[in-house]
Amino acid sequence: MKVVIGADKAGMGLKEYIKSYLLEEGYEVVDKSEQASVDFVESALAVSQELLKNEENLGIAIDAYGAGSFMAATKVKGIIAAEVSDERSAFMTREHNNCRLITLGSEITGRTLAKKIVSEFLNASYDGGRHQVRVDMLNKMA
């Protein structure tokens, strides 16, 4: 599994912090925003499109509040994204919704919490089973 990450100008500081953490933990990171994206739409789209290339990969898009990246990512067919600001939501959206992309807000989530959120998201795995019905419905929507 690779972790695909991207950010706009507002999210670059947190993105670099998370990227360093991921590399320290031994994850392979694909950075879609080596230079800050001008707009959250651009960075979220780049992460989403990269995720479509390999179903095993997970993604993180960061902007000021997380909402913009979330809205952009959910427009991409085949992407289930969640805007998260706590560890439990990050874990559960992966486990129950097969979410492959989380969005974070750099002006909402501090570094320590962001690291915990990312850890929970990456350490969760999709349960399948009864949850597959809703995952199929989500995948048909976009």
Side-chain angles (χ1 to χ4, degrees), residues 4-5 53 67 70 116:
V4 183
I5 193 165
K53 295 177 184 177
F70 168 77
K116 290 177 184 178

Side-chain angles (χ1 to χ4, degrees), residues 11-132:
M12 282 301 282
L14 185 58
K15 183 205 70 146
E16 289 300 322
Y17 178 80
I18 294 299
K19 180 179 174 181
S20 293
Y21 164 71
L22 292 170
L23 292 170
E24 287 172 12
E25 293 294 311
Y27 288 99
E28 187 174 347
V29 177
V30 177
D31 189 344
K32 300 305 287 185
S33 301
E34 290 286 340
Q35 301 295 319
S37 295
V38 175
D39 191 284
F40 62 77
V41 174
E42 183 180 85
S43 54
L45 183 60
V47 172
S48 298
Q49 289 175 333
E50 186 68 29
L51 289 178
L52 292 175
K53 295 177 184 177
N54 185 331
E55 288 187 19
E56 299 296 317
N57 296 343
L58 298 175
I60 304 162
I62 305 168
D63 62 37
Y65 302 105
S69 293
F70 168 77
M71 289 184 278
T74 59
K75 301 293 184 191
V76 178
K77 186 166 181 62
I79 295 297
I80 298 176
E83 177 187 354
V84 295
S85 56
D86 68 274
E87 303 99 306
R88 185 70 177 153
S89 296
F91 183 86
M92 294 306 294
T93 197
R94 178 81 188 112
E95 192 171 81
H96 285 191
N97 303 318
N98 200 22
C99 175
R100 294 187 45 226
L101 180 124
I102 58 170
T103 66
L104 300 172
S106 63
E107 294 188 25
I108 295 173
T109 308
R111 289 180 167 193
T112 301
L113 178 57
K115 188 164 64 170
K116 290 177 184 178
I117 289 168
V118 167
S119 176
E120 288 295 314
F121 176 64
L122 297 177
N123 287 308
S125 57
Y126 177 51
D127 275 352
R130 68 183 178 91
H131 306 294
Q132 190 60 46

